[in-house]
Amino acid sequence: MTPAAPSYAFLPGAADSPVILHVPHSAREIPAGVRAGIVLDDGALERELDHITDSHTAELAEAAARLAGVTPWRFVNRLSRLVVDPERFPDEREEMRAVGMGAVYTRTTHREVLRPRETDPEPLVARYFRPYAQAMTDAVAERLAAVGRAVVVDVHSYPTEPLPYELHGEGPRPPVCLGTDAFHTPPELLGAARKAFGEAVGEIGLDSPFAGAYVPLEHYGKEPRVSALMVEIRRDTYMTEPGGPAGPGLTRLASALAALVDAVSG
């Protein structure tokens, strides 16, 4: 069985743009059938969504796309990461399985029960994770075919104070953290991001508190024409935590993201 409508949106950009802004964690929607498998009551679920959702990052990416001289493509998850987390490995390679937060979460940000331990993740992986992964793989392949390269920029946010689920929360928490991959993050991409966000927020960190960058597994570690960078924005720079409204910082950060897009589009 497949979803009645895709759980993601692939929004077109300029024909000659290599950039895909990937927004995997901005949504709060949970289909009723998936909600039935979550043990939290409605109030507790809303609080968990406040903590786990990268609020307003889809809005940020949309604003950056409007501001950019060369419009990037956008791949946006329409469902909460509490349905499936499309950026986790779906198997034992995923370190977050240690805290019940693999591709299908069984624990909350505060390490409380989200789903029963015996929950079989396969139905959710089959219905939501694999179609999403295939669509993202196809999106990258399309950019490779069209312009000969693809630049995946992951747009995330993170809380000012570490949450109990974080495995590496003891490190620095700068206004913007850039997550890198040894194979897929070339120096020129990292340099462009440092410049764009450094001018907007000042302090830029690297791979702390979150590290790495998303690349579809078909291309991961194999295709040098696919470059990738994760942009993690500390939430107090643009919104009221947790789960509150966006503030004026969103516009400044959208301008910085647009500057990065333009720097790597040529």
Side-chain angles (χ1 to χ4, degrees):
M1 184 175 180
T2 57
S7 63
Y8 50 83
F10 186 38
L11 304 167
D16 58 346
S17 172
V19 179
I20 300 172
L21 298 180
H22 182 217
V23 188
H25 295 158
S26 65
R28 295 173 69 100
E29 182 180 347
I30 300 174
V34 179
R35 171 67 181 95
I38 292 174
V39 303
L40 303 180
D41 64 32
D42 289 347
L45 178 57
E46 286 302 308
R47 289 190 294 274
E48 178 62 13
L49 286 167
D50 286 344
H51 289 296
I52 198 66
T53 304
D54 292 351
S55 300
H56 314 297
T57 49
E59 181 184 348
L60 174 64
E62 181 181 7
R66 288 197 306 268
L67 291 168
V70 180
T71 305
W73 298 67
R74 285 178 290 141
F75 196 104
V76 182
N77 190 2
R78 289 172 163 164
L79 298 180
S80 169
R81 63 196 290 190
L82 296 183
V83 179
V84 296
D85 190 332
E87 294 212 314
R88 302 285 198 241
F89 287 112
D91 52 35
E92 65 282 350
R93 288 173 292 178
E94 180 51 61
E95 69 169 358
M96 295 301 292
R97 286 163 60 106
V99 289
M101 299 180 85
V104 175
Y105 296 176
T106 58
R107 292 293 182 271
T108 71
T109 51
H110 290 74
R111 302 202 181 196
E112 296 166 350
V113 176
L114 180 75
R115 292 181 174 93
R117 185 182 298 274
E118 64 273 14
T119 297
D120 180 5
E122 179 55 30
L124 291 175
V125 168
R127 185 169 185 179
Y128 297 106
F129 184 95
R130 292 196 188 102
Y132 186 108
Q134 186 59 57
M136 187 63 185
T137 301
D138 293 345
V140 169
E142 180 183 300
R143 290 298 85 208
L144 288 174
V147 297
R149 63 191 181 101
V151 182
V152 180
V153 178
D154 248 6
V155 184
H156 291 264
S157 70
Y158 72 97
T160 304
E161 298 297 329
L163 290 167
Y165 84 94
E166 295 182 26
L167 293 179
H168 311 289
E170 70 283 353
R173 302 178 82 82
V176 172
C177 160
L178 301 176
T180 66
D181 178 87
F183 186 89
H184 290 283
T185 308
E188 56 270 25
L189 174 56
L190 182 57
R194 283 187 183 275
K195 183 175 188 296
F197 286 100
E199 292 175 354
V201 301
E203 183 188 357
I204 305 297
L206 202 65
D207 291 316
S208 175
F210 298 100
Y214 177 80
V215 175
L217 288 177
E218 184 174 308
H219 306 293
Y220 184 67
K222 306 169 190 173
E223 177 53 86
R225 296 180 300 159
V226 178
S227 55
L229 181 76
M230 179 169 64
V231 177
E232 287 271 4
I233 301 166
R234 203 177 65 208
R235 291 175 188 160
D236 66 338
T237 64
Y238 76 92
M239 64 173 283
T240 301
E241 298 179 83
L250 189 77
T251 301
R252 181 175 70 253
L253 288 159
S255 295
L257 182 57
L260 170 60
V261 168
D262 284 340
V264 299
S265 292

